[in-house]
């Protein structure tokens, strides 16, 4: 089952027996026509030099970034993860809704961590989903060291894609990057010191092309994307960084937006796109230039005002097969650095393609979200880091989340009292900030309105596990009841991560049709690590018999640690 390094032989046997029985059990919950795909991954430290300096990064199967999970709607994915780090590990599947299966979400509120030297097997179905997503390690600031990779969910053959089949499919990870280790960065944030300017911006784990010898030192490896003239490629771009909004652009090429985080969009051309932390986009890019030289692919920081950021520009190369020479000259211009209005208007321009089918044959727009009565309203206000009980913490509605030793989902399953309280306030309370394990009490099949109010000085991104939500409005200033008159109730895009600009608000609507306990978090890793998260409990009062039960291979911890000891003893007896 979970293989401790001190008992590999008997535990390996136990693992194999459990694997076989468990998969047979799981098959009974899925259609016989839905295929299974199996992966064996080892997560470990590897040495890399993304900015020309050797450092320890986190690789998956020795790769940085990790391998891409390429699957199709409704497939069942089984990933056996071996933790070869020196810390506990969880992988979370950003944007995968884990329908009726919160046990596989891979965050501290649903799973006990995989101890160092152990392995654990995730099993989930990509039920009724298509699109571009990613996975990453969710604990201990580990995402700052890597451990991430892409997830591609293809349409089933019976569902038409709303554009012609591209000639190729390319995934790009853009991210801020620090030469300090994730452990050093973690300690820095905990001590109240901000992250500061990154040492660079990576594209697919590589540093910048030497576009300017005064800015980029010699000897840094860079990413080259090879293409053929006249062909069209689907380019999936993920901001997998830890705190920096990035502007993405390809020199002299239009970006035709077609999909974001599982939703097909109204197809519009952009010359550049602001991609905030944790967001994913798909563009069609046609190679329609004369290839007099290679072209720059650029990811540059947004909304920064320090000269220290000048070196933090990611540059890769787009190389036509008939290119006449290397790229040279200045980079393509970004938007005005301080113009949040441009970025907000660009975000508002992204619309849902209501006539296109996605995972199902019926059009996306057949779900008339704007006509559904809201049952619950939460206005969630953030604040910059502050001292609470002598420690630097971040808050949502004045509460900094404290992760209990027993995951919330396990505490709920075993009726363990005192682990959490269903009392997260729907507004900021007039009381001092505190550290607590306070959970939102959601209504199964309710329709929730959430307004994020950003009182911080930087752009913050917020993500909800288990769902796609509709982004219906955003504006500067303080949200009021009258702000609802500006909502888009027809074709607001459905996605899982949205940005909130400083001194501004963003409103989302979400249908709570997926029972479980789901993480609502800041994607900015410094904010998340210091407590800017909350869980949403959605309980089906009828106890849906189709919801997957507690997995046989569950790891137990906290108040349930004794159950884990029993399992270890049983493994030895076998």
């Amino acid at each position: 089952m979970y293989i401790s390094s001190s008992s590999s032989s008997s535990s390996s046997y136990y693992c194999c027996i459990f694997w076989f029985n468990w998969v047979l059990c799981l098959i009974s919950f899925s259609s016989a026509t839905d295929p299974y795909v199996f992966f064996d991954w080892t997560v470990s430290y590897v040495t890399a030099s993304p900015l020309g300096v050797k450092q320890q990064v986190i690789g998956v199967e020795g790769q940085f970034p990790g391998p891409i999970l390429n699957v199709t709607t409704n497939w069942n994915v089984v990933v056996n993860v071996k933790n070869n780090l020196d810390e506990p590990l969880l992988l979370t599947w950003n944007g995968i809704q884990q329908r009726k299966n919160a046990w596989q979400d891979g965050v501290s509120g649903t799973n006990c961590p995989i101890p160092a030297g152990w392995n654990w097997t995730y099993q989930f179905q990509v039920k009724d989903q298509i699109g571009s997503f990613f996975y990453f390690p969710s604990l201990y600031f580990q995402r700052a060291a890597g451990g991430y990779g892409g997830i591609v969910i293809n349409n089933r053959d019976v569902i038409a894609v709303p554009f012609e089949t591209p000639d190729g499919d390319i995934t790009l990870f853009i991210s801020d990057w620090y030469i300090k280790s994730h452990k050093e960065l973690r300690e820095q944030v905990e001590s109240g010191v901000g992250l500061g300017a990154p040492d660079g911006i990576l594209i697919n784990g590589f540093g910048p092309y030497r576009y300017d010898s005064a800015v980029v030192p010699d000897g840094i490896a860079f990413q080259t994307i090879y293409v053929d003239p006249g062909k069209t490629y689907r380019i999936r771009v993920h901001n997998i960084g830890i705190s920096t909004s990035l502007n993405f652009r390809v020199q002299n090429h239009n970006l035709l937006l077609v999909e974001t985080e599982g939703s097909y969009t109204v197809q519009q051309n952009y010359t550049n796109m602001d991609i905030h932390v944790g967001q994913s986009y798909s563009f069609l890019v046609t190679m329609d230039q004369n290839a007099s030289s290679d072209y720059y692919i650029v990811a540059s920081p947004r909304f920064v005002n320090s000269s220290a950021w000048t070196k933090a520009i990611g540059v890769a190369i787009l190389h036509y097969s008939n290119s006449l020479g290397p790229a040279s000259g200045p980079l393509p211009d970004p938007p005005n650095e301080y113009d949040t209005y441009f970025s907000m208007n660009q975000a508002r321009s992204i619309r849902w393609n209501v006539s296109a089918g996605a995972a199902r044959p019926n059009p996306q727009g057949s779900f008339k979200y704007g006509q559904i009565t809201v049952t619950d309203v939460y206005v969630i206000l953030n604040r910059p880091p502050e001292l609470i009980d002598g420690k630097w913490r971040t808050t949502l509605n004045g509460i900094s989340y404290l992760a209990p030793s027993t995951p919330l989902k396990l505490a709920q399953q075993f009726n363990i009292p005192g682990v959490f309280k269903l009392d997260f306030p729907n507004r900021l309370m007039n009381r001092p900030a505190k550290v607590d394990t306070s959970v939102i009490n959601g209504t199964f099949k309710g329709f929730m309105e959430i307004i994020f109010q950003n009182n911080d000085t930087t752009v913050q991104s917020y993500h909800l596990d288990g769902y796609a939500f509709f982004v219906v409005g955003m504006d500067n200033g303080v949200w009021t009841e009258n702000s609802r008159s500006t909502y888009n109730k027809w074709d607001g895009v459905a996605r899982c991560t949205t940005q909130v600009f400083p001194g501004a608000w963003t409103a989302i609507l979400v249908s709570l049709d997926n029972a479980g306990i789901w993480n609502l978090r800041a994607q900015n890793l410094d904010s998340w690590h210091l407590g800017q998260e909350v869980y949403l409990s959605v309980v089906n009062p009828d106890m849906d018999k189709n919801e997957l039960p507690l997995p046989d291979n569950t790891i137990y911890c906290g108040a349930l640690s004794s159950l884990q000891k029993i399992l270890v003893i049983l493994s030895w007896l076998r």
Side-chain angles (χ1 to χ4, degrees):
M1 192 168 148
Y2 317 108
I3 303 176
S4 169
S5 57
S6 62
S7 58
S8 59
S9 58
S10 60
S11 293
S12 296
Y13 170 81
Y14 187 50
C15 176
C16 292
I17 296 297
F18 243 154
W19 169 283
F20 180 75
N21 290 336
W22 183 49
V23 168
L24 286 179
C25 176
L26 287 167
I27 289 173
S28 68
F29 287 95
S30 302
S31 167
T33 60
D34 296 329
Y36 276 76
V37 287
F38 298 84
F39 301 89
D40 258 311
W41 286 355
T42 297
V43 179
S44 63
Y45 295 117
V46 297
T47 300
S49 305
L51 294 175
V53 178
K54 283 188 177 181
Q55 61 182 121
Q56 188 173 259
V57 305
I58 296 176
V60 180
E61 285 299 283
Q63 303 174 41
F64 169 70
I68 293 175
L69 270 178
N70 196 322
V71 295
T72 296
T73 300
N74 293 344
W75 282 15
N76 297 281
V77 181
V78 182
V79 186
N80 184 43
V81 175
K82 174 68 181 297
N83 178 14
N84 272 3
L85 303 179
D86 57 357
E87 299 178 310
L89 168 75
L90 285 174
L91 291 182
T92 192
W93 317 90
N94 202 74
I96 304 304
Q97 294 175 14
Q98 308 292 1
R99 303 293 300 179
K100 302 180 180 181
N101 195 13
W103 301 111
Q104 308 298 321
D105 204 25
V107 287
S108 67
T110 58
N111 298 84
C112 294
I114 307 168
W118 289 33
N119 71 287
W120 194 71
T121 302
Y122 293 87
Q123 196 280 344
F124 54 88
Q125 185 179 27
V126 289
K127 180 70 174 173
D128 292 337
Q129 287 192 264
I130 57 94
S132 309
F133 309 97
F134 59 88
Y135 59 86
F136 68 90
S138 64
L139 302 177
Y140 302 115
F141 229 78
Q142 290 164 353
R143 194 175 86 211
Y148 54 75
I151 303 173
V152 173
I153 307 180
N154 304 290
N155 281 57
R156 292 176 290 163
D157 291 338
V158 295
I159 309 294
V161 176
F163 46 84
E164 292 187 6
T165 303
D167 297 296
D169 199 304
I170 298 165
T171 295
L172 296 179
F173 301 101
I174 58 177
S175 63
D176 49 10
W177 189 258
Y178 296 81
I179 293 175
K180 286 183 179 179
S181 72
H182 73 280
K183 297 176 183 178
E184 292 173 304
L185 291 172
R186 183 173 72 210
E187 292 175 359
Q188 180 176 315
V189 167
E190 290 171 352
S191 68
V193 179
L195 290 168
D199 295 300
I201 303 297
L202 304 189
I203 299 180
N204 279 1
F206 290 96
Y209 171 79
R210 201 177 190 201
Y211 66 95
D212 185 338
S213 60
V215 176
V216 183
D218 194 13
I220 293 180
F222 57 88
Q223 174 77 80
T224 300
I225 303 298
Y226 295 92
V227 295
D228 292 321
K231 292 189 175 181
T232 297
Y233 296 81
R234 182 173 181 172
I235 301 181
R236 305 172 193 260
V237 188
H238 308 275
N239 184 340
I240 192 65
I242 62 176
S243 69
T244 306
S245 296
L246 297 171
N247 182 265
F248 177 79
R249 53 201 185 273
V250 180
Q251 185 181 28
N252 293 357
H253 291 74
N254 283 324
L255 308 172
L256 181 64
L257 179 64
V258 294
E259 178 259 335
T260 180
E261 297 165 18
S263 286
Y264 289 123
T265 63
V266 172
Q267 295 178 19
Q268 301 178 77
N269 274 311
Y270 296 86
T271 56
N272 62 76
M273 177 65 71
D274 283 345
I275 305 179
H276 304 278
V277 178
Q279 291 188 328
S280 302
Y281 288 94
S282 279
F283 306 100
L284 295 183
V285 182
T286 299
M287 305 305 144
D288 55 6
Q289 299 300 298
N290 60 18
S292 58
S293 68
D294 292 342
Y295 299 93
Y296 295 125
I297 301 172
V298 181
S300 59
R302 292 285 276 141
F303 317 118
V304 293
N305 55 11
S306 168
S307 59
W309 290 77
T310 56
K311 64 178 180 179
I313 297 179
V315 183
I317 292 298
L318 183 71
H319 176 82
Y320 281 52
S321 57
N322 63 339
S323 174
L324 299 178
S328 62
L331 301 177
D333 291 332
N336 185 306
E337 189 54 59
Y338 309 108
D339 187 1
T340 57
Y341 288 95
F342 168 88
S343 190
M344 186 178 290
N345 286 334
Q346 184 185 72
R348 289 172 176 149
S349 73
I350 300 169
R351 301 299 180 100
W352 208 27
N353 186 338
V354 296
S355 63
R360 294 181 175 181
N362 50 307
Q364 292 180 140
S366 59
F367 185 77
K368 310 291 186 183
Y369 71 88
Q371 299 177 15
I372 302 174
T373 301
V374 170
T375 58
D376 302 279
V377 180
Y378 281 79
V379 181
I380 298 180
L381 183 145
N382 70 9
R383 288 204 296 247
E386 57 189 301
L387 281 171
I388 303 176
D389 299 331
K391 294 183 179 181
W392 288 99
R393 305 289 299 187
T394 55
T395 61
L396 295 175
N397 282 0
I399 298 176
S400 185
Y401 180 76
L402 176 66
S405 60
T406 307
L408 310 178
K409 183 66 175 167
L410 280 174
Q412 185 185 68
Q413 174 76 17
F414 287 90
N415 297 313
I416 301 173
V419 174
F420 65 92
K421 294 171 285 186
L422 291 170
D423 64 351
F424 187 84
N426 63 1
R427 297 282 197 287
L428 178 67
M429 307 288 284
N430 185 20
R431 63 188 184 190
K434 64 177 182 177
V435 177
D436 204 355
T437 310
S438 181
V439 174
I440 296 174
N441 189 7
T443 303
F444 183 63
K445 293 192 176 179
F447 199 62
M448 183 174 286
E449 177 185 9
I450 301 175
I451 300 96
F452 298 104
Q453 184 77 52
N454 185 2
N455 276 22
D456 208 332
T457 57
T458 58
V459 179
Q460 297 287 319
S461 300
Y462 290 96
H463 174 91
L464 178 60
D465 285 348
Y467 298 97
F469 51 70
F470 296 93
V471 182
V472 294
M474 60 178 66
D475 205 349
N476 291 297
V478 177
W479 180 89
T480 68
E481 303 280 340
N482 292 333
S483 301
R484 292 194 177 104
S485 65
T486 68
Y487 283 7
N488 176 357
K489 293 192 172 183
W490 167 244
D491 61 357
V493 72
R495 62 187 313 163
C496 56
T497 301
T498 188
Q499 70 273 43
V500 192
F501 294 95
W505 57 268
T506 296
I508 66 172
L509 297 174
V510 58
S511 177
L512 303 182
D513 61 350
N514 190 17
I517 289 184
W518 305 107
N519 187 227
L520 174 61
R521 61 176 176 267
Q523 290 281 54
N524 301 54
L525 196 53
D526 47 349
S527 299
W528 182 14
H529 182 71
L530 293 181
Q532 210 167 96
E533 66 176 317
V534 64
Y535 281 82
L536 169 63
S537 174
V538 181
V539 177
N540 183 350
D542 296 327
M543 297 302 292
D544 188 346
K545 299 302 181 183
N546 292 321
E547 187 174 351
L548 286 174
L550 176 75
D552 287 340
N553 68 339
T554 297
I555 296 177
Y556 297 99
C557 55
L560 297 170
S561 296
S562 59
L563 294 181
Q564 191 62 43
K565 293 177 182 177
I566 292 172
L567 290 176
V568 171
I569 292 171
L570 288 175
S571 72
W572 275 100
L573 292 175
R574 288 174 182 268

